[in-house]
DNA sequence: CAAAAAATGGGTTGTCCAATCCAGAATCTG
DNA sequence: CAGATTCTGGATTGGACAACCCATTTTTTG
């Protein structure tokens, strides 16, 4: 169950090989996002990636190894998409812009799909310890990004209360809002959850 | 796809039949909670319920019909467990007691399992419209219970702000807190998420 | 209590899917 | 450019699982 066992072709990867591997992960990520991990068959992934036969097993030991790659891929995708907004999370204006972007993104998706990381996490949490830890690590990075902003505000003396707690609570509000939005197919839960949390933060901001 | 098609033996049910059906639903609920819907096989359910062979198909048309029964069963279980606490959600003390009970319950479970309704919802949301609506209806009842408490406070003139929005945000905080708690195997996310939300509500309470 | 209806047991079938194998093509490396 | 390595294609296998069938037993009902 070592890493080498799980990723047979990690050592040497041709440029073409890297590209093929990338296509497989991207296709798998999309399908697992749309249908869930267990409902996304490797045959579907194969077809969507435009590869054939044993390609997947050339790059991944088994479906589990592919899943772990997908979790990392989705973490990068989700955090990457917010990267430019993370820089401004040290002000209420920046927090509100971040909130608006998240809401607008869900609206564009017609409230479908939920959080790419959270959905994976919920599915694997009780049956797949390794995958659960990978998701936990993704959430930790997300939490850290929010925390950095609030800590900066706190360090400047603009924010009362524990910035670490507020960051974790904000991530929780976001996840809960996304889940309810996904299930109700309305953006309101996400809007209200984030607004309440940001209002709470603002109530602890000392106007200079 | 009518109701009769889906539940062959709805019309007449012997006392013994009701008991058997109940055992099947309870076993299925437990297994789907522990392993997820797709990973819980009907063979597992059969064995856990202590019935044999075609019993399940005698009471349910297919796995989908059983899943819908499980969603309703879990909704009753989750709301039933909180019923005594719901009555006091019209005061900060009652809200805090409710928060304590939820946290304590997760602690007893060692942070495993997450929310029985939320987990199901996340799994079925994109692939099973009928099940998604059943989960949405469960969440609505939950939201309503919280809303009733906050509305009462608001009606008495003790609470500023929209009680409906606060109720929805509270449910979102709870769901997000449960998800993060499940994935991190620590109660802190749930504690912090609920505390932040209740602090926010309290900041809008006018002390009499 | 007798006929009808409901409940139970176990076996079967067909499908789907993860995983494996081997042969041949493309690409890298010395 | 030649030998080695990596990449690709297609075919196959073995197991698991949802769904179905029929015969037997138990319970209900008139």
């Amino acid at each position: 169950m070592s890493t080498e066992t799980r990723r047979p072709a990690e050592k040497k990867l041709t440029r073409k090989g890297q590209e093929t591997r990338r296509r497989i992960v991207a296709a798998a990520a999309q399908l697992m996002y749309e249908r869930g991990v267990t409902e996304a068959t490797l045959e579907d992934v194969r077809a969507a990636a435009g590869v054939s036969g044993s390609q997947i097993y050339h790059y991944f030991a088994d479906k589990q190894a592919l899943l772990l790659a997908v979790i990392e891929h989705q973490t990068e995708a989700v955090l990457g998409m917010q990267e430019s907004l993370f820089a401004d999370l040290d002000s209420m204006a920046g927090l509100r812009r971040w909130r608006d972007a998240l809401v607008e993104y869900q609206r564009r998706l017609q409230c479908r799909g939920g959080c790419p990381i959270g959905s994976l996490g919920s599915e694997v949490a009780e049956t797949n310890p390794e995958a659960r830890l990978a998701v936990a690590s993704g959430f930790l990075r997300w939490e850290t990004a929010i925390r950095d902003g609030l800590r900066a505000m706190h360090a400047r003396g603009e924010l009362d209360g524990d910035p670490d707690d507020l960051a974790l609570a904000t991530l929780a509000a976001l996840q809960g809002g996304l889940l309810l939005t996904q299930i109700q197919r309305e953006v309101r839960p996400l809007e209200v959850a984030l607004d309440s949390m940001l209002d709470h933060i603002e109530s602890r901001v000392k106007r200079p």
Side-chain angles (χ1 to χ4, degrees), chain A:
Chain A
M1 199 58 79
S2 69
T3 305
E4 300 94 79
T5 309
R6 304 281 299 286
R7 300 181 186 178
E10 181 107 20
K11 340 179 176 182
K12 289 247 175 178
L13 269 194
T14 306
R15 178 171 308 169
K16 196 176 179 183
Q18 285 181 355
E19 174 54 30
T20 303
R21 196 194 119 105
R22 222 185 49 78
R23 270 210 322 283
I24 293 172
V25 174
Q30 184 63 27
L31 284 167
M32 288 178 177
Y33 180 57
E34 291 170 358
R35 309 184 195 171
V37 176
T38 52
E39 299 252 0
T41 74
L42 294 183
E43 165 60 23
D44 294 335
V45 172
R46 190 201 61 71
V51 301
S52 57
S54 62
Q55 297 289 90
I56 294 173
Y57 285 93
H58 183 67
Y59 294 97
F60 302 95
D62 49 24
K63 198 178 181 181
Q64 169 76 359
L66 177 57
L67 169 60
L68 294 178
V70 164
I71 293 174
E72 285 180 32
H73 176 270
Q74 294 290 52
T75 301
E76 296 301 331
V78 168
L79 296 182
M81 189 187 316
Q82 300 170 80
E83 200 170 25
S84 62
L85 298 157
F86 284 156
D88 297 331
L89 293 190
D90 63 341
S91 71
M92 280 315 299
L95 285 164
R96 299 283 182 194
R97 275 198 299 277
W98 175 65
R99 172 266 187 215
D100 289 344
L102 292 169
V103 168
E104 185 50 35
Y105 186 71
Q106 286 304 307
R107 207 190 304 271
R108 269 208 303 278
L109 292 183
Q110 290 162 107
C111 306
R112 285 173 215 276
C115 172
I117 302 178
S119 302
L120 285 173
S122 177
E123 189 171 353
V124 304
E126 302 308 317
T127 54
N128 195 331
E130 208 173 355
R132 196 199 91 228
L133 288 172
V135 170
S137 143
F139 272 138
L140 187 62
R141 289 177 57 190
W142 203 343
E143 184 186 346
T144 302
I146 303 171
R147 188 164 57 196
D148 286 348
L150 299 184
R151 276 188 181 176
M153 292 176 77
H154 185 259
R156 290 198 307 264
E158 298 173 13
L159 178 64
D160 252 358
D162 188 333
D164 294 14
D165 284 357
L166 290 173
L168 181 52
T170 301
L171 182 58
L174 169 55
Q175 287 299 315
L178 283 171
L179 177 62
L180 293 178
T181 281
Q182 177 185 21
I183 285 168
Q184 296 190 8
R185 296 279 190 255
E186 291 171 16
V187 288
R188 183 174 161 257
L190 179 61
E191 290 178 318
V192 168
L194 285 177
D195 284 342
S196 293
M197 197 59 224
L198 295 192
D199 286 352
H200 181 234
I201 292 175
E202 191 163 29
S203 76
R204 296 182 164 236
V205 167
K206 311 168 192 166
R207 270 253 157 266

